[in-house]
């Protein structure tokens, strides 16, 4: 597991240094903001919908390595997914980072998101990892919402 853990930390570091899909989106169908006052993480999420499918997703914001990497990996994970699939990913991710399910029990649909399994050992970091997911949930359910983890 320690080799795997090193690999996971490397992936998180890579995504925090060079996040994917960090750009504004003028033609977004939905936008939401998230804020984690405990750490100071801020994120704005842009979603472009095509029917019930997420055609494109991007983010802007500043925060710690975990929150930035989580936003980057979220955009990669939910792009092209249906709203129901995105919701299932959110549930699975939440269960993983809160320790409800272990790394090995987590569904294969999580894919790369499993790099965050170690976060469950650091309760303060759970909000950093889940902030962007709560923000996505808000963007998909209500437009122009602000989420705070408090
Ligand atoms: Zn943070």
């Amino acid at each position: 597991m320690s080799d795997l853990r090193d690999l996971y930390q490397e992936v998180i570091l890579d995504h925090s240094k060079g996040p994917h899909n960090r750009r504004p989106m003028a033609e977004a169908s939905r936008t939401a903001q998230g804020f984690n006052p405990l750490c100071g993480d801020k994120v704005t999420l842009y979603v472009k919908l095509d029917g019930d499918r997420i055609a494109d997703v991007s983010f802007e914001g500043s925060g710690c390595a975990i929150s930035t990497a989580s936003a980057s990996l979220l955009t990669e994970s939910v792009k092209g997914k249906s709203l129901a699939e995105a919701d299932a990913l959110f549930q699975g991710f939440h269960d993983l980072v809160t320790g409800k399910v272990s790394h090995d029990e987590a569904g294969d649909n999580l894919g790369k998101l499993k790099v965050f399994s170690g976060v469950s050992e650091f309760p303060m970091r759970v909000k950093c990892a889940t902030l962007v997911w709560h923000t996505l949930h808000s963007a998909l359910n209500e437009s122009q919402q602000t989420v705070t983890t408090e």
Side-chain angles (χ1 to χ4, degrees), residues 8-59:
Y8 282 179
Q9 282 179 354
E10 215 167 283
V11 173
I12 289 173
L13 217 61
D14 276 355
H15 276 270
S16 70
K17 283 182 182 162
H20 301 186
N21 302 303
R22 183 154 78 178
R23 55 182 157 82
M25 192 193 295
E27 70 279 21
S29 350
R30 301 287 177 86
T31 307
Q33 267 111 42
F35 178 49
N36 173 17
L38 279 180
C39 182
D41 307 316
K42 280 182 194 164
V43 66
T44 301
L45 200 68
Y46 304 96
V47 182
K48 189 177 176 186
L49 293 173
D50 176 15
D52 84 329
R53 204 157 280 276
I54 297 171
D56 198 9
V57 53
S58 69
F59 79 101

Side-chain angles (χ1 to χ4, degrees), residues 36 39-41 63-67 125 128:
N36 173 17
C39 182
D41 307 316
C64 65
I66 300 271
S67 69
R125 289 300 185 192
C128 299

Side-chain angles (χ1 to χ4, degrees), residues 44-134:
T44 301
L45 200 68
Y46 304 96
V47 182
K48 189 177 176 186
L49 293 173
D50 176 15
D52 84 329
R53 204 157 280 276
I54 297 171
D56 198 9
V57 53
S58 69
F59 79 101
E60 286 185 297
S62 58
C64 65
I66 300 271
S67 69
T68 304
S70 186
S72 174
L73 279 156
L74 173 143
T75 61
E76 287 205 330
S77 302
V78 303
K79 194 169 172 177
K81 295 278 196 299
S82 70
L83 297 183
E85 286 167 338
D87 207 45
L89 275 180
F90 177 33
Q91 283 303 326
F93 182 77
H94 198 267
D95 287 349
L96 180 70
V97 297
T98 54
K100 205 184 260 182
V101 300
S102 72
H103 173 272
D104 293 341
E105 290 164 344
D108 290 334
N109 65 326
L110 287 183
K112 272 191 187 174
L113 296 172
K114 284 193 172 188
V115 299
F116 291 99
S117 55
V119 168
S120 63
E121 290 167 37
F122 306 96
M124 288 286 290
R125 289 300 185 192
V126 172
K127 287 179 175 173
C128 299
T130 56
L131 174 67
V132 71
W133 286 90
H134 286 293

